[in-house]
Amino acid sequence: MTTNEIMVKMVFDRWNTQIENFGKTLHNLTDEQLVKEISPGKNRGIYVLGHLVAIHDHMLPLLGLGEKMYPQLIQPFVELPDKKSTTIPNAQELRKLWSQQVDHQRQQFGQLSTDNWFEKHTAVSDEDFAKEPYRNKLNVIVTRTSHLSYHLGQFNLLK
Amino acid sequence: MTTNEIMVKMVFDRWNTQIENFGKTLHNLTDEQLVKEISPGKNRGIYVLGHLVAIHDHMLPLLGLGEKMYPQLIQPFVELPDKKSTTIPNAQELRKLWSQQVDHQRQQFGQLSTDNWFEKHTAVSDEDFAKEPYRNKLNVIVTRTSHLSYHLGQFNLLK
């Protein structure tokens, strides 16, 4: 294994583990549990679920893998806090989006070569990337893994 | 920057950010808030704090940077669940250990060179490392960042 292959494996092992862990908890929670607040006055499980799908959706354009698939989730799950949106998809719909997204992204991420992961992501200019070469595609997975772990810790409190 | 330097920076940017974020929340919480449960029936803030210090302490021997400094924290914060230990350090003591540890580990981690981070950690044999070269020291930081983010998401619910 080259050092670059090692790095891609280290980063994706974490990402895949946390995606699987979130999926397991989601599978074991009922729709009734999902609409409960994680802690009194805090976000509901359903909000955390929609928030993660919306944030992960943004990885596709960032990685040059196409447009967002669920732009309708940005307002209710990113721009607005929980309980402020008049209409949000229900638990059943969000479960479907989560599964679809996991499958689609696994397939899409698999199309990038090891070297592709060390190329710049689309939100950084060539000029900035020359000075800040760590703003690569792999770093998108690194930061999103951290974000996912943060919300997984909260989501698991619903169990 | 070499690819190895880029990788070390990517991983440590996340680690340092989450350590700082946890420290900020800790600073802003009162001792009264720290002894509250994060969600009804779940771990108290003080348990999450002690748990993180105990788990981070284990990184020193794993990275070949000396013995654990706080082995007395293993039983109450790792082996036993919250509210099962008869005596645990109080909030003031744990705050002190957190700060001491952050300073000590920043200084210790800084002594390793970029190449050192790609060497094996101490819990893997030479033989296994030859087959699984991703079980390096940097991966200890990767996995602990994920663990820290998980508990930071919970800890922030106390705010």
Side-chain angles (χ1 to χ4, degrees), chain A residues 30-142:
Chain A
T30 64
D31 289 354
E32 291 67 37
Q33 285 173 304
L34 269 184
V35 296
K36 281 191 185 150
E37 290 174 340
I38 282 167
S39 177
K42 304 293 180 181
N43 291 336
R44 293 171 297 167
I46 200 174
Y47 182 83
V48 171
L49 172 58
H51 177 72
L52 285 175
V53 176
I55 295 293
H56 294 174
D57 197 27
H58 187 55
M59 296 167 77
L60 294 177
L62 262 182
L63 297 172
L65 295 171
E67 292 306 304
K68 279 182 197 154
M69 296 173 74
Y70 320 115
Q72 72 279 12
L73 302 184
I74 296 292
Q75 198 191 39
F77 294 114
V78 181
E79 292 174 358
L80 293 174
D82 193 17
K83 293 159 262 181
K84 290 294 178 199
S85 180
T86 46
T87 53
I88 63 165
N90 64 30
Q92 282 299 319
E93 290 168 318
L94 286 171
R95 285 179 195 273
K96 238 181 263 170
L97 297 188
W98 172 266
S99 300
Q100 270 177 12
Q101 183 178 60
V102 168
D103 291 344
H104 181 73
Q105 294 196 338
R106 189 183 294 121
Q107 186 257 326
Q108 289 286 301
F109 295 169
Q111 296 190 356
L112 296 187
S113 69
T114 297
D115 286 347
N116 287 155
W117 287 107
F118 292 91
E119 294 165 0
K120 77 176 193 69
H121 61 65
T122 63
V124 62
S125 68
D126 288 336
E127 203 180 10
D128 286 346
F129 188 62
K131 287 176 287 184
E132 300 169 330
Y134 43 85
R135 297 175 71 182
N136 56 40
K137 288 178 178 165
L138 193 59
N139 214 359
V140 172
I141 308 294
V142 170

Side-chain angles (χ1 to χ4, degrees), chain B:
Chain B
M1 281 177 103
T2 65
T3 309
N4 287 17
E5 284 169 347
I6 289 172
M7 281 307 319
V8 171
K9 177 167 171 55
M10 280 162 61
V11 170
F12 270 96
D13 276 358
R14 277 293 90 200
W15 170 257
N16 290 329
T17 297
Q18 299 303 62
I19 286 285
E20 278 162 31
N21 288 343
F22 193 91
K24 271 182 214 158
T25 300
L26 179 60
H27 178 76
N28 290 327
L29 292 174
T30 64
D31 290 354
E32 291 67 39
Q33 285 173 303
L34 269 185
V35 295
K36 281 190 185 153
E37 290 175 340
I38 281 167
S39 176
K42 306 291 181 182
N43 291 335
R44 293 171 297 167
I46 200 176
Y47 183 83
V48 171
L49 172 57
H51 176 72
L52 285 174
V53 176
I55 295 293
H56 294 175
D57 197 27
H58 186 55
M59 295 166 79
L60 294 177
L62 262 182
L63 297 171
L65 295 171
E67 292 307 304
K68 279 182 195 153
M69 295 174 73
Y70 320 115
Q72 73 279 13
L73 302 184
I74 297 293
Q75 196 191 38
F77 294 114
V78 181
E79 292 174 358
L80 292 175
D82 193 17
K83 293 159 262 178
K84 290 293 177 200
S85 180
T86 46
T87 53
I88 63 165
N90 65 29
Q92 282 300 319
E93 290 167 319
L94 286 171
R95 286 178 194 274
K96 238 180 264 171
L97 297 188
W98 172 266
S99 300
Q100 271 177 10
Q101 183 178 60
V102 167
D103 292 342
H104 180 74
Q105 294 197 337
R106 189 184 295 121
Q107 185 258 327
Q108 289 286 303
F109 295 170
Q111 295 190 356
L112 296 187
S113 70
T114 298
D115 287 346
N116 287 156
W117 287 107
F118 292 90
E119 294 165 359
K120 76 176 194 68
H121 60 66
T122 63
V124 60
S125 67
D126 289 337
E127 202 179 13
D128 286 346
F129 188 62
K131 287 177 287 184
E132 301 169 329
Y134 44 86
R135 297 174 71 181
N136 56 41
K137 289 177 178 165
L138 193 59
N139 214 1
V140 172
I141 309 294
V142 170
T143 55
R144 292 326 178 271
T145 300
S146 186
H147 177 261
L148 170 58
S149 300
Y150 181 97
H151 289 297
L152 175 62
Q154 299 176 334
F155 201 65
N156 275 349
L157 295 173
L158 287 170
K159 289 198 286 195

